[in-house]
Amino acid sequence: TDVRDLIRERAVLEKEYSQKLQALARRAAEKRARTAAARIVGEDPAKAFGDDAIKRNTLESAYAMLIEAYDTSAQDHSSFGEALSAQISQELKSLEQKKDGTRKNQLAAFNKTLTERDKIYNERLRAKQKYDEDCLEIESYRQKQNRAADDKHADRAAKQYDAQKAEMQNSKNTYLVSIAVANKAKDTFYNVDLPALENQFQEIQTSLTTSLVRIIRSHQHLQSTALEGLKYKMTLVDNSLSAFDAPKDQALFVDYNKRPGFSVPGDWDWEPCAGFYETGVMSVDPTPKVYLQNKLAKAQGKLDEVRAMENTKERDANQLSQLVTSYQANPKLGDVDDVMNDYLDAAHMHMQWRAIGLALEAEIATILGALGDDTGAQAPHSFKSSSFSIPTPCGFCKSSIWGLSKQGKTCKACGMSVHAKCELKVPAECPAAAGGRKAPPSRNVPSTMRDSIPMRQVSGKGTGSTLTVKVPEGKVSAPTPSAFNQPSASTFDQPALTKATIIFDFVASSPFEMNVVEGQVVEVVEEDDGSGWIKVGDPKTGEKGLVPASYVQ
């Protein structure tokens, strides 16, 4: 009964699973029919496509095979459930009925044997009772005979006594026979009949369990057949997956999305102001020239740092790319998705630093094209952000600097204070700059970039002379990337950098920050200017970046 209940419940589960799996496959097929085209040839293909294009996609073919395997597997599960109900469950029910009938017959035979035995036992008891009664009766007749010894009834009393004595002897003999019969019946019951019945019960149990095992084997055969069908479908899906060809699928997508006539957008050019006429030529008069010289110095100082970070991130990306290839070839090494995410993060960081570097190179090439070799006095101020609690005159424009939230800049060398907007207008003539500095090397800008910028002759008035330089044509009015870059340490001679220790781990969230770990020894490049950040450098790798001031001791 327990096995039949188990099989019946299994059949119900198989049918329910079949219905749910079939519904799942149907929904997946409908969704695939709606979205396959967009996945394979794009949402807006350049040319018409048909079912043949859909079928040529190897990944889509594998997905279609997977859905079909789900659908046919649902049918197999339904057939398996029906077979369990119609065959196995019914055979178990029939076996259970036969078992009950056989057990009833066997119990009836046992009870009959037991009744026959008890009947013989009762015959012995009745013989014993009759013998006891006759013994008591003969004693009564003997007493009567003694009392009638001298009486005229003595002969009759003697005859009655003799008759009763014969009756008592017959009862005795009957009792003795019944004892022998009862003992024989007892021996037969315990030594013959009962073992025979027990053997028969064992034979019945053996036959029952053998039939049960045979039925369960039939169940196993049905399940094995169903599993073989599922395994075959899995093999078909696996073969479809083995045929997956990513380059082929991508080529198919490209083929249906080629659009003739596409070209890269043209360059931007100078657009004069509608209310004031100016030519698209960089001004190199004394005041704007100082501004250009300062921007050049800042951009050149930043470029070395950016290129170092770009090379580091490029090396990290290349190493992680090789690691991704190894993980894809041998999945046992670990989770390839985690390594892929690390690789993409490193590649994105490299792209960011490369974009910053290219922007700086363009900025430097443009400014050098206008200034030529006139790059300034080479004794720049070392400005840092400052706050002022009292009105302070600007060392450049002479107007007051107001505000408590870093409204100005102060030179760390000479102490000159200026507005933040005036920083790049101050000539690079710091009186406290020790010996000035050498002109920035032109190697910061690739010659190919400098040569690729169109140049135009322009004249401007310098101090007591006329200056003629070449400036790039167009594309000079847009803000330059260095205007958005955080200030870097100046490149002129400075005293030895202060050592510091990191007391907490910190993970960088932008290209201008730096990853540090607890206990790491760093060099302080720029002190906290009130923003809560310190610029530090790793003396081992040369990497520089910002970290929270509270993380440094």
Side-chain angles (χ1 to χ4, degrees):
T1 302
D2 294 340
V3 176
R4 186 164 65 90
D5 292 342
L6 174 65
I7 298 299
R8 185 171 59 249
E9 293 176 6
R10 171 69 184 278
V12 173
L13 289 176
E14 288 291 338
K15 294 176 183 178
E16 292 178 354
Y17 177 71
S18 170
Q19 294 173 356
K20 293 181 179 180
L21 185 60
Q22 194 167 29
L24 175 63
R26 182 171 57 253
R27 290 194 302 269
E30 294 172 353
K31 185 175 181 180
R32 172 181 169 271
R34 294 194 305 267
T35 61
R39 286 195 303 270
I40 296 171
V41 298
E43 296 181 354
D44 185 22
K47 62 180 181 180
F49 64 93
D51 292 339
D52 59 326
I54 305 297
K55 295 177 180 179
R56 283 159 51 196
N57 185 276
T58 58
L59 180 59
E60 194 66 24
S61 298
Y63 184 46
M65 180 60 68
L66 178 63
I67 296 176
E68 182 180 353
Y70 275 20
D71 185 50
T72 55
S73 296
Q75 298 175 11
D76 291 345
H77 281 285
S78 178
S79 300
F80 179 51
E82 291 292 342
L84 291 179
S85 298
Q87 299 180 29
I88 307 302
S89 183
Q90 287 299 323
E91 287 186 17
L92 288 172
K93 182 178 181 181
S94 176
L95 177 63
E96 182 179 3
Q97 293 174 347
K98 292 179 180 178
K99 176 202 70 173
D100 291 340
T102 303
R103 286 173 61 90
K104 289 179 181 179
N105 293 336
Q106 190 67 10
L107 287 174
F110 171 75
N111 291 328
K112 183 177 181 180
T113 302
L114 193 62
T115 301
E116 292 294 332
R117 184 205 66 174
D118 293 341
K119 181 178 179 182
I120 294 174
Y121 287 177
N122 291 330
E123 289 291 335
R124 181 191 66 82
L125 293 176
R126 286 194 296 270
K128 175 66 168 63
Q129 184 179 5
K130 180 67 170 59
Y131 169 67
D132 291 342
E133 291 175 353
D134 289 343
C135 286
L136 295 176
E137 188 70 22
I138 195 172
E139 180 63 22
S140 173
Y141 280 105
R142 186 184 64 79
Q143 292 177 1
K144 288 181 180 180
Q145 185 180 10
N146 291 336
R147 286 195 301 269
D150 299 329
D151 195 283
K152 62 181 180 177
H153 300 292
D155 291 337
R156 189 178 63 179
K159 289 180 181 180
Q160 290 178 343
Y161 173 77
D162 291 339
Q164 186 60 36
K165 183 177 180 181
E167 185 66 24
M168 180 272 295
Q169 289 174 343
N170 289 334
S171 298
K172 175 182 176 182
N173 291 335
T174 301
Y175 174 51
L176 290 173
V177 171
S178 66
I179 291 175
V181 173
N183 287 333
K184 187 63 177 178
K186 174 182 69 67
D187 292 339
T188 302
F189 178 79
Y190 286 106
N191 296 320
V192 178
D193 295 341
L194 189 59
L197 289 171
E198 290 174 345
N199 289 337
Q200 292 169 5
F201 272 112
Q202 290 179 349
E203 290 173 358
I204 292 172
Q205 182 66 18
T206 299
S207 176
L208 172 65
T209 53
T210 301
S211 299
L212 179 61
V213 170
R214 175 183 56 77
I215 295 173
I216 294 178
R217 285 187 181 277
S218 299
H219 162 267
Q220 289 298 100
H221 176 71
L222 289 175
Q223 185 167 359
S224 297
T225 303
L227 291 177
E228 286 295 328
L230 295 175
K231 185 177 180 181
Y232 175 70
K233 295 174 180 61
M234 292 172 60
T235 302
L236 295 179
V237 175
D238 189 63
N239 292 338
S240 298
L241 293 174
S242 299
F244 167 66
D245 188 344
K248 181 178 178 181
D249 293 350
Q250 293 169 358
L252 179 65
F253 180 87
V254 171
D255 181 52
Y256 280 89
N257 285 273
K258 291 180 180 178
R259 285 176 168 78
F262 173 78
S263 60
V264 177
D267 293 344
W268 286 281
D269 204 349
W270 163 261
E271 296 180 8
C273 176
F276 182 80
Y277 178 74
E278 272 276 277
T279 61
V281 178
M282 294 187 69
S283 175
V284 290
D285 289 337
T287 299
K289 180 168 65 174
V290 170
Y291 180 83
L292 290 176
Q293 290 170 343
N294 287 331
K295 284 184 68 67
L296 176 64
K298 289 178 67 68
Q300 289 175 324
K302 189 67 177 177
L303 183 59
D304 289 333
E305 180 181 345
V306 168
R307 284 307 179 209
M309 289 300 300
E310 178 188 347
N311 294 334
T312 299
K313 297 304 178 183
E314 182 179 16
R315 183 171 60 253
D316 293 345
N318 291 336
Q319 293 175 351
L320 287 170
S321 176
Q322 296 175 0
L323 196 61
V324 168
T325 303
S326 300
Y327 273 56
Q328 289 174 339
N330 185 8
K332 294 181 179 179
L333 294 176
D335 190 347
V336 68
D337 292 333
D338 292 341
V339 182
M340 176 64 75
N341 290 334
D342 293 340
Y343 160 69
L344 293 177
D345 290 342
H348 296 162
M349 292 292 290
H350 172 241
M351 292 172 60
Q352 293 176 19
W353 284 108
R354 181 178 59 190
I356 294 172
L358 292 174
L360 288 172
E361 287 181 352
E363 181 178 342
I364 293 170
T366 303
I367 296 174
L368 285 176
L371 296 180
D373 294 331
D374 187 8
T375 56
Q378 308 307 319
H381 293 273
S382 179
F383 286 112
K384 61 173 290 186
S385 299
S386 301
S387 300
F388 303 92
S389 59
I390 60 175
T392 303
C394 174
F396 177 77
C397 68
K398 308 307 179 183
S399 61
S400 297
I401 306 173
W402 289 87
L404 300 177
S405 58
K406 294 182 287 186
Q407 295 294 323
K409 303 277 187 174
T410 300
C411 178
K412 294 187 291 185
C414 68
M416 179 183 184
S417 297
V418 296
H419 289 98
K421 64 181 180 179
C422 297
E423 176 187 1
L424 295 179
K425 302 176 183 179
V426 180
E429 299 172 352
C430 179
R437 64 172 181 174
K438 297 180 180 179
S442 60
R443 61 177 175 81
N444 282 337
V445 183
S447 59
T448 54
M449 175 172 286
R450 298 182 66 180
D451 295 340
S452 65
I453 299 178
M455 308 304 287
R456 180 184 299 165
Q457 295 285 345
V458 62
S459 297
K461 293 183 179 180
T463 305
S465 63
T466 300
L467 177 66
T468 301
V469 298
K470 291 183 179 180
V471 299
E473 295 182 353
K475 303 176 288 298
V476 295
S477 62
T480 56
S482 65
F484 302 98
N485 291 333
Q486 299 186 16
S488 64
S490 61
T491 56
F492 59 84
D493 296 335
Q494 293 184 352
L497 299 177
T498 304
K499 300 287 186 180
T501 303
I502 302 299
I503 57 177
F504 301 108
D505 293 346
F506 175 70
V507 179
S509 59
S510 76
F512 301 105
E513 298 171 3
M514 187 175 82
N515 294 325
V516 291
V517 295
E518 181 181 353
Q520 180 178 348
V521 177
V522 296
E523 294 177 341
V524 178
V525 179
E526 289 185 8
E527 297 285 353
D528 180 15
D529 57 6
S531 63
W533 294 84
I534 293 180
K535 188 170 185 179
V536 299
D538 189 336
K540 297 181 180 179
T541 63
E543 183 181 2
K544 297 178 182 179
L546 298 173
V547 297
S550 58
Y551 284 41
V552 181
Q553 185 177 41

